[in-house]
Amino acid sequence: MSDFMSKINPFYKFVFIIVFSTVITFIHSLWLNIWVFGGAMLLILTGVKYTQYMRVVKFMLPVAFMSFSLFVMGLFFGEGGGGMFGTVTTQSTQTGITMATRFLSFAGIGLVFALTTNPYDLVKSLRKDAKLPRKFAYGMLCAINLLPHIKTEYQNAMMAFRVRGVRVGPLSLKPLFSMLVNAFRWSEMLSLAMISKGFYED
Amino acid sequence: MSLNATGITFKYFEDSPRIVLQDVNITVPVGKISVLQGKSGAGKSTLAYVLAGLYPENGGFLQSGTVKWENVDIHTLTPDNRVAYVAMMFQNPDLQFCMNTPENEIAFCLENIGIAEADMPPLIHDAMEKAQALDLLGKSFTYMSGGEKQKCALACILALKSKCIILDEAFANVDEPTARQIITTLRGLKLTILAIDHSTSLWNADHVISLDGTGARVFDLVPSLHAVGAPVITTCGLSVGAITYPNMCFEKGSITAITGKSGAGKTTFFKALMQQHKYKGSLALMGREVNKYKKKHLYERCGIVFQNPANQFLALSVYDEVFFSVNHWHKGNAEAKREKTLELLRIFDLDVYKKYSPYLLSQGQQRRLAVLTMLAGGQNILLLDEPTYGQDYENICAIMQLLLEKAKNGLTVLYTTHNGALARNFSHKIIHLEDNRE
């Protein structure tokens, strides 16, 4: 197993994937979907380090579920379908399958890109090859670096609220509000730290 | 030669009546270590930001005054030129880096001052070596301790070759031996240092600047401790992740200081107690395993104050923040609750800020408010992560007196600290965690 996909210039890979996805958006073909999805899977199997396979499975589980719901939707409500648990025709079955595989093929393309691209390399390449201003490039990297921090802070916020005797569930807005306030503070701190290191662009 | 600030008058908003700094004059001598002191909320951080040129460019309003290095006015320079004169190290080590590894971060810094990519590797190596952090070069920041991150922050500044370094309580999350090690490195480099810190002994400062006339006081509080009750928390063969703990026991009404290097598992122990981390072995709270508790019941018995208190505020004003806890835990009519809230705020000198948003308080004041909101609650056990960091002497005493009073009434207090004198003076026992990661 090699990871040859990771060695392609990230910016060119990015452009190719955007253009390719845009093109297939306009083509409604079951076989095209299957080929694209199959190709993506083949690239993942041959072009991605095997240590990443667990991530593939984790990502594909919700994708498979979504894809299945799209199939059911097409089956009953697509062209020729009979509404909720109504009659199913060959045409509606085909609509369902096309919708489901279409979803899979887009997910496959995205997955290939996500698994073989290091965000740092992508931003670096965007700067070099696409002449992206430094402000945006480093802003993106900052945001990427904040993600793990945001996760732990969210857990802390949930706990803090519970300790104070506030009832919070996974859907409560209160910890999100305090996260939002904190996120403003963080971005300010980060930008001050960057400016203090001489980061400047007019 | 020195860094001179003359006649600094600063407020956060142009039409705000509250003046944060009024006609401040200070001189930071070159090649020396100076420590800036003042009461919590006196405007130390604000002054540091003004000196570093970050304010008023990025916030606030400078009514009058200049900051000069020799004849160069710091405030007229652009950030990329300014960094040759002053750079800053911040309190929160998590929010200083925009890249993933020190190597990339220093490359970013060098790029800022216009150094070509090809010339970077030797400069990066050199800076990391000077900061004694060469072993961290390619390590991800995610897996670093606070002390390691501060070493990397120092390396960045060294790479930028700034003449003056301003440290805003930069060792808040760093243990004493590591802080001393970094300070020794700084001293060896003969740079101009201005540090905001309540401890002058840690810095062995050449020069102390006081912002409001109050000098540092040696910690000499020796309270008479009361007798303790039956064990409340007991551990046996406890391990969390890669950290193993000695067998510990905390009695009802006892005050225990937990010390140890950063990374030794002090905060992790608290998190295990709050069901935030899974553990192996036995960790019993009132005779029952912690992981057998429902979260709701656990949190009714056990309160916590975080290292970084800003994420536990839930109200829009300081008064509401405390009132919320009082209202939740105490019976009585509204007037009595209001009185109780104001009384608590007065103890910690926070009553003048009662209408402020908690987020507008200084770092030291936020910490005090967080302690207060938990003390107003009715939990039997209180965990405090670094409750006294960034506090002046009076406020440490106020916090500790209040804890002591509560402990006499049966509150079990566990706190972590890097302040050895505080731990020795103010605890029934000290538990020192060795760094015994596998």
Side-chain angles (χ1 to χ4, degrees):
Chain A
M1 301 290 162
S2 67
D3 53 344
F4 67 88
M5 280 297 288
S6 312
K7 297 198 174 78
I8 303 171
N9 180 317
F11 173 62
Y12 296 146
K13 194 158 58 178
F14 181 67
V15 171
F16 174 76
I17 276 170
I18 295 285
V19 173
F20 186 68
S21 323
T22 317
V23 170
I24 64 169
T25 313
F26 297 106
I27 307 168
H28 293 266
S29 154
L30 173 61
W31 283 107
L32 178 75
N33 293 342
I34 291 173
W35 276 114
V36 170
F37 180 67
M41 286 296 120
L42 192 72
L43 279 178
I44 286 170
L45 285 176
T46 58
V48 173
K49 280 191 193 134
Y50 64 92
T51 44
Q52 300 260 45
Y53 286 179
M54 221 29 232
R55 284 180 67 191
V56 178
V57 175
K58 264 190 200 157
F59 180 79
M60 285 315 281
L61 280 176
V63 168
F65 175 74
M66 276 300 288
S67 162
F68 179 72
S69 9
L70 278 171
F71 168 69
V72 174
M73 197 172 95
L75 192 66
F76 292 119
F77 300 100
E79 247 175 283
M84 186 81 83
F85 303 112
T87 48
V88 172
T89 62
T90 326
Q91 198 191 4
S92 75
T93 314
Q94 201 172 7
T95 318
I97 293 176
T98 313
M99 282 168 80
T101 50
R102 200 169 157 77
F103 187 76
L104 282 178
S105 68
F106 279 113
I109 298 173
L111 191 59
V112 170
F113 184 74
L115 287 178
T116 60
T117 316
N118 176 326
Y120 287 88
D121 296 339
L122 174 64
V123 173
K124 221 178 196 177
S125 154
L126 279 173
R127 289 238 297 116
K128 258 194 196 131
D129 304 314
K131 304 277 177 275
L132 185 77
R134 293 186 75 211
K135 215 183 233 171
F136 295 113
Y138 285 110
M140 276 160 78
L141 288 178
C142 263
I144 294 168
N145 277 326
L146 264 185
L147 287 178
H149 198 61
I150 288 175
K151 199 180 151 196
T152 49
E153 289 292 310
Y154 180 68
Q155 285 164 347
N156 280 345
M158 293 279 274
M159 177 166 76
F161 278 71
R162 288 193 176 127
V163 170
R164 294 286 299 278
V166 185
R167 269 192 206 176
V168 282
L171 294 175
S172 300
L173 290 176
K174 274 185 189 146
L176 283 178
F177 173 76
S178 99
M179 290 291 302
L180 195 73
V181 178
N182 276 315
F184 275 117
R185 278 184 42 249
W186 295 340
S187 64
E188 199 177 293
M189 282 307 301
L190 262 170
S191 74
L192 284 181
M194 284 165 79
I195 292 166
S196 157
K197 284 173 183 160
F199 183 69
Y200 174 63
E201 197 158 38
D202 47 5
Chain B
M1 224 171 40
S2 55
L3 182 70
N4 278 307
T6 39
I8 303 281
T9 300
F10 184 89
K11 30 190 186 177
Y12 275 106
F13 305 99
E14 196 174 344
D15 44 4
S16 155
R18 187 172 166 247
I19 295 168
V20 185
L21 299 168
Q22 174 117 45
D23 196 27
V24 174
N25 298 295
I26 71 161
T27 304
V28 185
V30 163
K32 298 263 164 65
I33 293 184
S34 310
V35 171
L36 177 66
Q37 296 199 315
K39 283 194 77 143
S40 166
K44 298 185 296 293
S45 294
T46 310
L47 180 61
Y49 282 28
V50 173
L51 289 177
L54 295 170
Y55 285 166
E57 196 178 286
N58 299 288
F61 176 73
L62 185 67
Q63 204 159 312
S64 65
T66 51
V67 180
K68 280 185 176 167
W69 178 279
E70 281 188 80
N71 294 320
V72 185
D73 188 340
I74 296 291
H75 286 166
T76 56
L77 300 171
T78 53
D80 48 338
N81 293 317
R82 194 164 55 217
V83 79
Y85 300 97
V86 275
M88 212 166 152
M89 256 169 94
F90 298 87
Q91 181 178 356
N92 190 339
D94 294 327
L95 298 174
Q96 292 198 52
F97 306 109
C98 65
M99 303 295 275
N100 54 349
T101 62
E103 196 173 9
N104 288 336
E105 183 70 26
I106 298 176
F108 159 75
C109 294
L110 292 173
E111 197 187 300
N112 288 338
I113 54 170
I115 288 171
E117 204 173 336
D119 303 334
M120 284 179 188
L123 293 173
I124 294 172
H125 187 272
D126 192 42
M128 289 298 275
E129 196 169 27
K130 270 191 195 156
Q132 299 184 351
L134 205 53
D135 50 323
L136 303 171
L137 192 61
K139 198 176 168 185
S140 164
F141 286 123
T142 322
Y143 303 112
M144 282 190 202
S145 71
E148 288 174 331
K149 282 182 197 163
Q150 291 296 27
K151 277 188 194 175
C152 296
L154 176 63
C156 291
I157 293 172
L158 296 178
L160 290 163
K161 298 207 168 27
S162 308
K163 293 192 176 79
C164 175
I165 305 180
I166 299 172
L167 300 100
D168 181 11
E169 310 212 10
F171 301 131
N173 305 321
V174 180
D175 58 285
E176 213 175 298
T178 311
R180 282 189 192 282
Q181 196 192 343
I182 301 176
I183 291 168
T184 311
T185 313
L186 281 169
R187 192 170 276 281
L189 293 165
K190 302 234 175 290
L191 291 159
T192 308
I193 311 278
L194 177 66
I196 300 178
D197 210 311
H198 287 284
S199 148
T200 35
S201 62
L202 179 69
W203 285 90
N204 193 8
D206 304 312
H207 187 63
V208 177
I209 301 164
S210 174
L211 199 53
D212 51 9
T214 60
R217 284 172 68 180
V218 184
F219 200 83
D220 57 357
L221 182 80
V222 186
S224 55
L225 291 172
H226 52 274
V228 299
V232 181
I233 304 169
T234 48
T235 77
C236 182
L238 177 71
S239 69
V240 183
I243 303 165
T244 53
Y245 290 91
N247 292 346
M248 297 179 280
C249 170
F250 305 94
E251 293 91 2
K252 185 176 162 68
S254 70
I255 297 175
T256 311
I258 301 176
T259 60
K261 284 190 94 168
S262 29
K266 302 188 292 291
T267 307
T268 310
F269 174 63
F270 285 178
K271 286 200 161 176
L273 250 174
M274 301 305 280
Q275 279 192 5
Q276 296 282 304
H277 283 316
K278 289 202 174 98
Y279 62 86
K280 289 195 188 104
S282 162
L283 172 58
L285 180 75
M286 298 176 192
R288 195 169 158 207
E289 276 302 311
V290 164
N291 54 15
K292 297 265 164 41
Y293 275 92
K294 270 190 179 167
K295 270 199 175 140
K296 189 177 164 239
H297 295 141
L298 184 66
Y299 295 162
E300 275 167 7
R301 291 176 172 81
C302 216
I304 187 167
V305 177
F306 294 109
Q307 217 164 42
N308 175 14
N311 53 14
Q312 65 192 109
F313 298 137
L314 43 81
L316 295 173
S317 76
V318 170
Y319 174 84
D320 288 342
E321 196 65 48
V322 178
F323 184 77
F324 183 91
S325 291
V326 172
N327 193 28
H328 188 267
W329 290 96
H330 294 264
K331 291 191 178 73
N333 62 14
E335 187 55 29
K337 285 175 182 170
R338 214 178 68 86
E339 273 305 309
K340 174 93 184 152
T341 308
L342 289 175
E343 185 196 318
L344 284 168
L345 285 171
R346 262 194 297 277
I347 295 174
F348 281 180
D349 275 339
L350 289 167
D351 47 339
V352 279
Y353 301 107
K354 66 183 181 206
K355 285 182 182 156
Y356 279 55
S357 156
Y359 298 99
L360 285 178
L361 298 178
S362 81
Q363 289 158 12
Q365 288 165 336
Q366 283 188 351
R367 222 169 272 254
R368 242 148 57 216
L369 180 61
V371 172
L372 201 55
T373 56
M374 285 322 307
L375 282 176
Q379 282 104 341
N380 320 107
I381 298 159
L382 193 53
L383 314 173
L384 303 113
D385 208 351
E386 296 279 342
T388 58
Y389 194 85
Q391 303 294 347
D392 49 56
Y393 179 82
E394 275 81 18
N395 282 311
I396 293 183
C397 290
I399 290 175
M400 285 313 190
Q401 287 300 341
L402 196 54
L403 282 176
L404 185 71
E405 225 165 83
K406 289 270 179 180
K408 272 183 193 153
N409 296 330
L411 179 76
T412 308
V413 178
L414 280 70
Y415 68 96
T416 69
T417 185
H418 289 309
N419 185 337
L422 177 72
R424 276 191 300 281
N425 277 306
F426 203 92
S427 62
H428 286 95
K429 67 179 161 199
I430 300 174
I431 290 180
H432 184 78
L433 295 179
E434 300 291 338
D435 194 356
N436 46 7
R437 261 166 211 266
E438 284 149 20

